[in-house]
Each structure stands twice: as structure tokens, then as C-alpha cells.
Amino acid sequence: MALGGYKIAKGCWISVFPFVTHRDPRFFENPEQFDPERFADDRAEQIPPYAYFPFGAGPHVCIGNTFAIMEMTLVVSTILQRFRVALAPGQREVEPVPDVVIRPKGGLRVTVSKRSAFAVAGTGKEGGHNTEVR
Ligand code: HEM
């Protein structure tokens, strides 16, 4: 049998790696660049079907897909309204460790500074203290 021009022997295991496809310049402009706007409505339409599949695809696609996206949006925006998160001094470049999910080797040290109530209200003013967490 052949798939995409590759011969597949009977009994072979085939795996797909979202990490690789999600960084393929055929599908994503500047794939290594952190660019959340690539998922904005007008640009997301340009992503070919099955080029972005963090929740799998097909009959076994993740049933928590939309819940997870909504939850993550709420959690991240709620935290960032209240805290500034920055890389801790001395934190080296992240080395990814492949596991069930990809994780940063040795953890990721950040500093968390509390924003003031004014910042939460959207005035742009900030205050608070630094607390290092892991
Ligand atoms: C960021 C969060 C999540 C990610 C990245 C994720 C990713 C995935 C992936 C890659 C699959 C495998 C799809 C396949 O076999 O082709 C899957 C399946 C599944 N996920 Fe998630 N998932 C997430 C959150 C959730 C949540 C919150 C729930 C439940 C509330 C959930 C429930 C399931 C179930 C039940 C399946 C099995 C579906 C089936 O085999 O028919 N997931 N998920």
C-alpha cells in the first residue's frame, strides 16, 4: 500500500506528530514564531484542514476540544489580568522533553508579580510584589 508516495508494509505502525506538522512552513508562516494571531478568524481560515490538530481528528477527535479551549482562554486571561508572568533571571532557553505531552526539561522558572486592582480594572497602572514560583 502507498500513502502520500510512501510504501507502507503490511503490519506497520504509523504515527502522526502534531509537533512536526504544526511547525511545517508549508502550512504556517514563520512556524517557530509565537504568533497567536495566526489563529484569528481571518487568518485561521487559511490553515489547511488537518494541518493543525492538537485534539486529533476523525472519529476519535477529542470530545473535550471546545471545553478545553474555553477553559484555557478563561484561565490564562484571568491569571494575566491579575499577575505579570516573566521568565526568572537565569532561566535558560526551554528544552522540550517529549512525553505524553511535551514539557520543559527541568521545569520553567518564572517570576509572578501581582498587578494592582487598577490594572485589573484596565487602567494600565500596576503595583504589587514579586514571588518566584515553579
Ligand atoms: C488541552 C486539552 C486537551 C488536549 C490537547 C486533548 C487532546 C486529545 C487528543 C490528541 C485525543 C486523541 C484523538 C485521537 O485518538 O485521534 C483526545 C481524545 C479524547 N479526549 Fe482530549 N484533549 C484535551 C482535553 C480534553 C478534555 C477536557 C476532555 C473531557 C472533558 C477530553 C476528553 C477526551 C476523550 C473522551 C477522548 C477520546 C475520544 C475517542 O476516542 O473517541 N479531552 N484528546
Side-chain angles (χ1 to χ4, degrees):
M1 175 191 170
L3 190 64
Y6 293 93
K7 270 192 179 171
I8 314 288
K10 188 177 174 183
C12 268
W13 278 80
I14 300 179
S15 300
V16 290
F17 291 95
F19 182 93
V20 175
T21 310
H22 293 175
R23 285 162 181 76
D24 190 323
R26 287 177 298 173
F27 311 132
F28 300 97
E29 203 181 317
N30 302 321
E32 296 288 343
Q33 191 181 318
F34 177 66
D35 177 16
E37 291 300 316
R38 68 172 88 243
F39 299 104
D41 287 345
D42 52 330
R43 289 178 60 196
E45 289 165 6
Q46 294 161 25
I47 301 173
Y50 302 114
Y52 185 67
F53 54 103
F55 295 98
H60 287 284
V61 70
C62 176
I63 59 162
N65 183 341
T66 44
F67 171 76
I69 288 176
M70 184 178 69
E71 182 189 35
M72 189 67 75
T73 306
L74 279 173
V75 168
V76 171
S77 57
T78 303
I79 290 173
L80 294 181
Q81 276 174 350
R82 290 160 176 76
F83 301 95
R84 275 189 167 277
V85 182
L87 285 182
Q91 169 64 47
R92 282 179 299 193
E93 198 167 317
V94 170
E95 191 181 326
V97 182
D99 206 325
V100 176
V101 292
I102 294 173
R103 297 181 303 152
K105 187 176 181 182
L108 180 67
R109 297 184 66 79
V110 296
T111 55
V112 178
S113 0
K114 197 170 182 191
R115 292 178 189 262
S116 70
F118 294 111
V120 174
T123 64
K125 295 183 181 173
E126 288 173 19
H129 58 279
N130 283 332
T131 317
E132 197 168 287
V133 295
R134 259 193 96 163

